[in-house]
Amino acid sequence: MPPMPAPPDLDPFDRAILSILQKDNTTPQRAIGERVNLSAPAVQRRIKRMQERGVIRANVALVDPARVGHPITIFVEVEVESERAELIDAAKRGFATVPEVQQCYYVTGEADFILVVTVATMADYEALTRRLFFENNNVKRFRTFVAMDRVKVGLEVPVGAPHLP
Amino acid sequence: MPPMPAPPDLDPFDRAILSILQKDNTTPQRAIGERVNLSAPAVQRRIKRMQERGVIRANVALVDPARVGHPITIFVEVEVESERAELIDAAKRGFATVPEVQQCYYVTGEADFILVVTVATMADYEALTRRLFFENNNVKRFRTFVAMDRVKVGLEVPVGAPHLP
DNA sequence: GGTGAAAATACTACCTG
DNA sequence: CAGGTAGTATTTTCACC
């Protein structure tokens, strides 16, 4: 089980900064400071703290898959034969190392894994399913959902207000 | 149908730059230049061009949902009653405006939509399903998959080599 | 957390192949 | 037309209050 650190308490300043950075992390600290009523160095210190605490996981450029030769996005629901720990772990490692697999989640429910895959052509996807599923004895069944429209691709996490369960 | 611009041809330099920026877009242009054997301004020009062409969609900070009070990630498969265009569009708008809905895709296959949702508690999810699905007459059925492990959350698109179908 | 100065970085011409 | 060079403008970062 991964360590689950107590959620660092973020005050309204932190949340405001996060919501800006999630949209555009090239926003100058001075500009952020003006919007949240803080000096640039104060903003800087808060950002550094959130990075150290793991609130901010990474700073990245988001690339449009369609414009780099991967126009097709596919969701795949995978069901396995056995849920034995070693087999599950092996499957996790297997999926995680495939570049075409953008996201992979281990889930409860009627499936065991959900993958998000991007490929250039359906032929590539077909080849991928061979490698990933047909050659894997532990895969019982998989279902394919081809994305026709990316209605919302935002990765922003709502930071509006803390939730007290 | 959204305009589908011809994929801008990216040379190996562009691809190398992209693969760096997808991991860390705070990397100084000088450092990028050293790694790809280009001067900093050359790198800068290429980045700007890729931004203008939409290859780079955005520059963002990735926030760990668990650390901002949304420890639960859920995939939802939604099936609708009618696929009439207005109803589908209404559903798209409805889903897209909900902050808890991180991602929403309109897909082919045994479901019509796939949503990725983050919430603080299962009670919040339950409340969300009420608002989103039970109050919507056009939703026939939905299936819930709760993420137990985020095996891979990377959003990097493979830019290794162009694919010629 | 604010203020100021210093360092690093990004940006803009301008020139070259 | 794309890249390199050099100078300028911003931005980040650090010491101090």
Side-chain angles (χ1 to χ4, degrees), chain B residues 4-59:
Chain B
M4 162 143 169
D9 33 301
L10 307 170
D11 65 17
F13 286 116
D14 289 326
R15 293 178 187 280
I17 294 170
L18 275 186
S19 96
I20 294 171
L21 292 179
Q22 284 193 105
K23 295 194 190 77
D24 180 7
N25 73 353
T26 68
T27 313
Q29 295 167 354
R30 180 187 51 75
I32 299 174
E34 284 168 13
R35 284 172 57 181
V36 303
N37 284 318
L38 235 47
S39 70
V43 171
Q44 152 78 329
R45 285 188 281 258
R46 282 168 178 273
I47 292 175
K48 168 171 272 184
R49 219 176 28 146
M50 291 193 283
Q51 284 175 155
E52 289 164 352
R53 292 187 182 178
V55 176
I56 295 175
R57 246 191 134 86
N59 288 283

Side-chain angles (χ1 to χ4, degrees), chain B residues 72-111:
Chain B
I72 303 175
T73 298
I74 296 175
F75 284 78
V76 195
E77 248 182 62
V78 183
E79 200 178 329
V80 298
E81 292 281 3
S82 158
E83 300 224 35
R84 272 184 47 216
E86 315 112 68
L87 294 174
I88 292 294
D89 287 345
K92 287 182 185 179
R93 281 193 300 273
F95 294 146
T97 56
V98 177
E100 287 88 347
V101 176
Q102 266 200 356
Q103 305 176 41
C104 171
Y105 286 80
Y106 181 48
V107 299
T108 67
E110 298 174 45

Side-chain angles (χ1 to χ4, degrees), chain A residues 2-8 10 15 18 21-26 51 53-71 73 75 77 83 91-93 95-114 116 118 120-121 124 141 143-159 161-165, chain B residues 2-8 10 15 18 21-26 51 53-71 73 75 77 83 91-93 95-114 116 118 120-121 124 141 143-159 161-165:
Chain A
M4 162 142 169
L10 307 169
R15 294 178 187 280
L18 276 186
L21 258 29
Q22 283 193 105
K23 296 195 189 75
D24 179 7
N25 73 353
T26 67
Q51 284 174 153
R53 292 187 182 179
V55 176
I56 295 175
R57 247 192 134 89
N59 287 283
V60 303
L62 295 184
V63 170
D64 185 343
R67 286 181 157 93
V68 294
H70 283 233
T73 297
F75 284 79
E77 247 182 63
E83 300 223 36
K92 287 183 184 179
R93 280 193 300 273
F95 294 146
T97 56
V98 177
E100 287 88 349
V101 176
Q102 267 200 356
Q103 304 176 43
C104 171
Y105 286 81
Y106 181 49
V107 300
T108 67
E110 298 174 45
D112 299 299
F113 289 96
I114 292 186
V116 183
T118 68
T121 66
D124 289 337
R141 199 170 58 81
R143 274 199 279 200
T144 299
F145 303 86
V146 179
M148 292 185 291
D149 186 13
R150 29 185 77 217
V151 180
K152 186 174 190 177
V153 287
L155 306 151
E156 300 103 85
V157 180
V159 288
H163 255 277
L164 304 181
Chain B
M4 162 143 169
L10 307 170
R15 293 178 187 280
L18 275 186
L21 292 179
Q22 284 193 105
K23 295 194 190 77
D24 180 7
N25 73 353
T26 68
Q51 284 175 155
R53 292 187 182 178
V55 176
I56 295 175
R57 246 191 134 86
N59 288 283
V60 303
L62 295 184
V63 170
D64 185 343
R67 285 183 159 90
V68 294
H70 283 232
T73 298
F75 284 78
E77 248 182 62
E83 300 224 35
K92 287 182 185 179
R93 281 193 300 273
F95 294 146
T97 56
V98 177
E100 287 88 347
V101 176
Q102 266 200 356
Q103 305 176 41
C104 171
Y105 286 80
Y106 181 48
V107 299
T108 67
E110 298 174 45
D112 299 298
F113 289 96
I114 292 186
V116 183
T118 68
T121 66
D124 288 338
R141 199 170 59 80
R143 274 201 280 201
T144 298
F145 304 86
V146 179
M148 290 184 291
D149 187 13
R150 29 185 77 217
V151 179
K152 187 174 189 177
V153 287
L155 306 147
E156 300 102 86
V157 181
V159 289
H163 255 277
L164 305 181

Side-chain angles (χ1 to χ4, degrees), chain A residues 14-86:
Chain A
D14 289 326
R15 294 178 187 280
I17 293 170
L18 276 186
S19 96
I20 293 172
L21 258 29
Q22 283 193 105
K23 296 195 189 75
D24 179 7
N25 73 353
T26 67
T27 313
Q29 295 165 355
R30 181 186 47 75
I32 298 174
E34 285 168 12
R35 283 171 58 182
V36 303
N37 284 317
L38 235 46
S39 70
V43 171
Q44 153 78 325
R45 284 190 281 258
R46 283 166 177 274
I47 292 175
K48 168 170 273 187
R49 225 181 20 156
M50 291 193 283
Q51 284 174 153
E52 290 165 351
R53 292 187 182 179
V55 176
I56 295 175
R57 247 192 134 89
N59 287 283
V60 303
L62 295 184
V63 170
D64 185 343
R67 286 181 157 93
V68 294
H70 283 233
I72 304 176
T73 297
I74 296 176
F75 284 79
V76 194
E77 247 182 63
V78 182
E79 201 177 329
V80 296
E81 292 282 2
S82 157
E83 300 223 36
R84 270 185 49 216
E86 316 110 68

